[in-house]
Amino acid sequence: MRSTNRVKLLGVILVACLPVHAQAPDEHAQHHPAPADSGEPAPMQQAAPADGVAGAAGGTGMMGCSGQGCMGMSGQPSRQLYPALMALPDLPPEQRAEIERQAHARMNAGASRMTAAVTEMTDAIARQDFAVMQAATARMSAALGEFESGLAAHRALAEGQAPRNIALRWFKREMSLADPIAAAQPHGIFGLSSFHYFSMFLLAAFALLASWMYVARNRRVSALLASLRTGELQPGTVGGAGFSSAPATPSAAQTPAAKPSSGEPTRVPPSVTGNWAGKLRVARIFLETPTVKTFRLAPVEGSGPLPFMFEPGQFLTISVAVDGKLVKRSYSIASSPCCHGWCDITVKHESGGTVSGYLHTRVKDGDHLDASGPYGRFTFRGHEAPSVVFIAGGVGITPLMSSIRYLTDQSWNGRIDLIYACARLDAVIFREELDHLARRHPNLHVTIVLSSEPPGEWQGPRGFVTSDLLAGVPDIRSRRIHLCGPPVMMDAVKKALGDLGITGDAIKTELFLSTPPAQARPPAAIPEAAVTCSFARSSKSAPLVAGQTVLDFAGSIDVP
């Protein structure tokens, strides 16, 4: 290695000492006589092909070599084009053309290899294969050197640069020596070479690609978590499977999610419908009207998502112990499924109501309630129909309010009509919020009908929901209708809809019933002899005691 470097250094000194002008053709021919049998004077040797390595002008020249003999210690391609430039001023036109051809071929070859190396680098970055990245960087460096050699020759031919300067720069790169000429001249912005700028560009491109991959991965993970929480496929998730909008039959997409490729721990999705039972913490209590309270339920741990997912319009079953007896009642979820960390149940304190009285008078912030669910198919997410008409009576607004909140949260574009019947203005639940949502969302139209409000204090519709009132709803005969309220109200509205020719599957209903107090119940219709009651889906059976409701009986044998 040291002897080779000494030979190269000697070559630098010899070339640097050469005169600027080249030998005359006659003087040169004296040193290279023609073969005896040729009969012609010895001509200048022609430059080798672009991929060869023979020098032009003066045979092999001082630095000429052939074949693989000119490969450097680092495996770099030969630079024999530079020795030929030493005789540039005296080269005949055909040899200048040959050098130009070689220079052009070097530029093309270097550009092609740089393109291939950049492609390989891009693929390696996507795979995070650092060994391939390093090898591709070395190939890009070699290709850039090859391209620069051809470019320098082109410039020398075009600009008539001094061959001595070109040769010195070549030796500087070969020997890793400082360039005394370049050091005394401006060398790019901030003194950096083109190779530095090219390397900086590659590093910047790699940083941008890595940043993009990081952001894209986080978006995919966020979309997956949103799908698991809401039951709806979100943009950006991988694959086409999402949670079914019909909660009654869990789909394959509702099974635990596979471990993400990012290395994050596996997250098991919560229950979707009717598969969860446990405790919830009362985070807040809101007074909606003098007889209605909203109980905000959150995970017992105090943070994180709910342990279940629900559809807008579903309900929970709440269990409380009253006088040593476990009593269960079902209450609609009034909040939007978009609220992942909590859900609201809105409860009216019925006269003599066992569970509603317990909730209103004994439950406070921080208490824990036993709950199960969610249950029910009285749901609407917006994909079931292009528009919807909600008709509610009293506390029957709660499941419809869940859908309204969800649809407005999603900025759903379909028309929403709400017809809400109450006795008095102070009994209108969510009145301020409904006014606020109607102002913000032009597609939400709210009509409140009061039956017992004193004259002069209400300028809106009065009385009951009639066919004349319903006929004023645009295109009601062709729209989906959700109806919820007490039995008397629902029977009257169904009759009014029937008068308009609306019957059957276009009307979705949920009946709100209040269990009467024990002393107000009618005499038991079941004989004292035990009657076996069976549930086909759960395959459970047990004796039904006289006076026991089917709901209480089902709860006693753990049938939801």
Side-chain angles (χ1 to χ4, degrees):
M1 291 291 290
R2 292 182 178 177
S3 61
T4 302
N5 288 339
R6 290 194 185 99
V7 172
K8 288 187 176 183
L9 184 58
L10 178 60
V12 175
I13 299 171
L14 290 175
V15 172
C17 293
L18 286 175
V20 176
H21 67 276
Q23 285 180 308
D26 293 341
E27 296 175 356
H28 186 79
Q30 293 176 5
H31 299 288
H32 298 278
D37 56 351
S38 65
E40 297 179 0
M44 278 190 182
Q45 294 184 11
Q46 299 297 319
D51 55 350
V53 266
T60 58
M62 182 179 297
M63 295 162 286
C65 49
S66 60
Q68 299 299 321
C70 287
M71 293 299 290
M73 296 300 291
S74 62
Q76 296 289 339
S78 171
R79 299 291 200 277
Q80 292 188 33
L81 195 61
Y82 287 96
L85 297 176
M86 291 296 298
L88 185 60
D90 300 322
L91 289 180
E94 62 271 18
Q95 288 186 333
R96 291 173 64 92
E98 178 61 18
I99 293 176
E100 184 174 4
R101 186 188 66 78
Q102 290 187 43
H104 189 68
R106 282 174 177 266
M107 292 175 64
N108 286 340
S112 299
R113 290 170 184 165
M114 278 194 289
T115 302
V118 170
T119 302
E120 186 177 6
M121 170 71 78
T122 304
D123 295 339
I125 290 173
R127 300 191 307 270
Q128 295 188 354
D129 190 339
F130 299 102
V132 176
M133 292 182 205
Q134 187 173 15
T137 302
R139 281 190 285 276
M140 280 189 283
S141 178
L144 181 60
E146 186 174 10
F147 182 89
E148 285 182 337
S149 69
L151 179 61
H154 266 299
R155 291 190 62 185
L157 290 171
E159 301 173 6
Q161 297 181 20
R164 182 189 305 275
N165 293 350
I166 299 172
L168 285 177
R169 290 192 180 94
W170 175 72
F171 275 107
K172 182 267 296 184
R173 281 191 288 269
E174 288 292 307
M175 302 294 294
S176 299
L177 300 175
D179 187 353
I181 299 176
Q185 297 176 352
H187 192 64
I189 302 175
F190 304 114
L192 300 178
S193 66
S194 58
F195 177 77
H196 287 99
Y197 290 117
F198 184 72
S199 302
M200 291 165 62
F201 170 78
L202 288 181
L203 291 174
F206 174 80
L208 289 175
L209 181 59
S211 300
W212 176 83
M213 293 173 63
Y214 177 80
V215 172
R217 186 199 68 177
N218 285 348
R219 286 181 178 175
R220 289 196 299 270
V221 171
S222 299
L224 176 61
L225 293 178
S227 297
L228 295 177
R229 291 171 180 170
T230 64
E232 185 177 61
L233 185 64
Q234 301 292 324
T237 52
V238 179
F243 289 106
S244 171
S245 60
T249 305
S251 64
Q254 295 163 353
T255 57
K259 186 174 182 179
S261 59
S262 61
E264 295 184 2
T266 301
R267 177 183 176 84
V268 179
S271 302
V272 177
T273 295
N275 295 328
W276 178 85
K279 291 185 178 294
L280 294 174
R281 177 177 53 87
V282 179
R284 291 288 187 274
I285 301 176
F286 306 98
L287 182 65
E288 306 289 356
T289 73
T291 60
V292 176
K293 286 184 178 181
T294 291
F295 298 85
R296 178 156 295 175
L297 307 179
V300 173
E301 295 79 9
S303 62
L306 288 168
F308 56 85
M309 293 179 296
F310 63 93
E311 298 280 331
Q314 289 189 297
F315 60 88
L316 294 177
T317 297
I318 305 298
S319 304
V320 298
V322 179
D323 298 330
K325 179 182 179 182
L326 187 66
V327 185
K328 298 183 179 182
R329 295 291 183 268
S330 296
Y331 298 103
S332 294
I333 300 174
S335 54
S336 166
C338 296
C339 307
H340 306 303
W342 46 267
C343 67
D344 289 346
I345 58 170
T346 301
V347 181
K348 181 181 180 181
H349 187 182
E350 299 288 352
S351 177
T354 304
V355 179
S356 65
Y358 179 92
L359 294 175
H360 271 253
T361 60
R362 299 177 60 178
V363 172
K364 60 185 181 301
D365 289 356
D367 286 352
H368 293 175
L369 293 178
D370 289 309
S372 63
Y375 307 109
R377 299 173 182 169
F378 187 64
T379 62
F380 186 81
R381 298 185 72 106
H383 58 79
E384 298 89 347
S387 64
V388 65
V389 178
F390 293 137
I391 306 175
V395 77
I397 186 66
T398 52
L400 306 181
M401 193 64 185
S402 178
S403 289
I404 291 173
R405 285 167 166 165
Y406 174 78
L407 296 173
T408 53
D409 283 345
Q410 303 299 312
S411 296
W412 188 62
N413 290 326
R415 182 182 174 102
I416 309 169
D417 283 278
L418 171 64
I419 301 175
Y420 185 16
C422 288
R424 298 175 311 279
L425 190 60
D426 62 359
V428 177
I429 309 171
F430 312 124
R431 179 189 173 191
E432 292 181 356
E433 184 178 357
L434 288 171
D435 290 342
H436 171 73
L437 292 175
R439 287 193 301 269
R440 291 177 64 88
H441 300 274
N443 60 323
L444 174 60
H445 305 270
V446 178
T447 301
I448 297 176
V449 184
L450 302 181
S451 59
S452 303
E453 184 68 17
E457 297 188 17
W458 174 248
Q459 304 301 320
R462 302 177 62 86
F464 300 98
V465 179
T466 63
S467 56
D468 291 338
L469 179 66
L470 295 173
V473 178
D475 302 319
I476 190 172
R477 292 177 177 83
S478 60
R479 296 172 65 184
R480 183 183 179 101
I481 300 173
H482 280 228
L483 171 62
C484 183
V488 175
M489 176 263 182
M490 291 183 61
D491 290 342
V493 173
K494 286 181 181 179
K495 182 179 183 305
L497 291 171
D499 294 341
L500 298 176
I502 305 171
T503 58
D505 293 338
I507 307 173
K508 311 298 178 182
T509 62
E510 183 161 272
L511 185 64
F512 270 33
L513 292 174
S514 299
T515 303
Q519 63 272 18
R521 293 180 181 176
I526 302 176
E528 291 298 327
V531 174
T532 300
C533 183
S534 302
F535 294 89
R537 182 176 297 178
S538 60
S539 300
K540 292 184 178 181
S541 301
L544 181 65
V545 180
Q548 187 178 27
T549 66
V550 175
L551 177 63
D552 291 339
F553 169 72
S556 67
I557 60 174
D558 294 327
V559 173

